[in-house]
Every structure is written in C-alpha cells, then in structure tokens.
Amino acid sequence: VFDGIEFYLPQLAHMIIHLEADWDDEVLERFALVISQHSLHFALQFNWILQGATEDYQPETLSGEPNPQFNALYYSRCVKLLTN
C-alpha cells in the first residue's frame, strides 16, 4: 500500500504546502503524518521535501540577503510539519 502512496509523495507534498482551498488543509497534513508513522522511507522523503521547501521560502537566504521567493504562508506550513 505504501509503495503506491510513495509514488505520489511529491504531488502530495506540493498540495499540502501550496493548496489554498476553503476546506480543512489539516486533513492532508494528518494523512501524511500517519503514513510517516508507518513508513520510515516515506517519512524521510517527506522530510527532505519539506526541508527543501523551507529553504526555498525562508525570509532570508543563507547569505543573509532578503529572499525574493519568501512566502510566509508556505514557510510556516513547512515549519509546522517539520516540528510535528
């Protein structure tokens, strides 16, 4: 079962980070966290995707310059998922 879900992990992560819908976005977050509890491989891949997105959307670049791609909503979603 997890192999089929892992195939769609990049799309799932993209939806969790970028989806701006009127419905409860925590449903997808909880789904990803439950799968992560049962599959270490899924959890590691999901963590790497979130780490990369965090770097993409952080307020400053590694050199201390303002990041032109900074997005507070996307950044906070990534940080929230990484801390869970």
Side-chain angles (χ1 to χ4, degrees):
V1 172
F2 296 125
D3 292 337
I5 294 171
E6 286 179 13
F7 179 78
Y8 294 104
L9 177 59
Q11 292 88 345
L12 177 63
H14 181 83
M15 284 177 57
I16 290 171
I17 296 168
H18 297 99
L19 189 64
E20 296 183 22
D22 293 335
W23 53 281
D24 186 11
D25 60 343
E26 290 185 12
V27 171
L28 288 176
E29 293 174 6
R30 284 192 303 259
F31 174 74
L33 293 176
V34 167
I35 298 300
S36 295
Q37 291 173 343
H38 294 283
S39 171
L40 182 60
H41 189 255
F42 182 95
L44 287 172
Q45 288 185 334
F46 190 49
N47 187 356
W48 292 331
I49 290 170
L50 291 174
Q51 289 284 351
T54 300
E55 290 180 13
D56 288 345
Y57 298 122
Q58 65 187 352
E60 296 179 349
T61 62
L62 297 176
S63 62
E65 299 290 321
N67 185 0
Q69 296 178 340
F70 170 64
N71 185 306
L73 176 64
Y74 299 162
Y75 180 76
S76 66
R77 284 183 181 170
C78 293
V79 170
K80 181 175 83 170
L81 283 165
L82 287 170
T83 58
N84 285 337

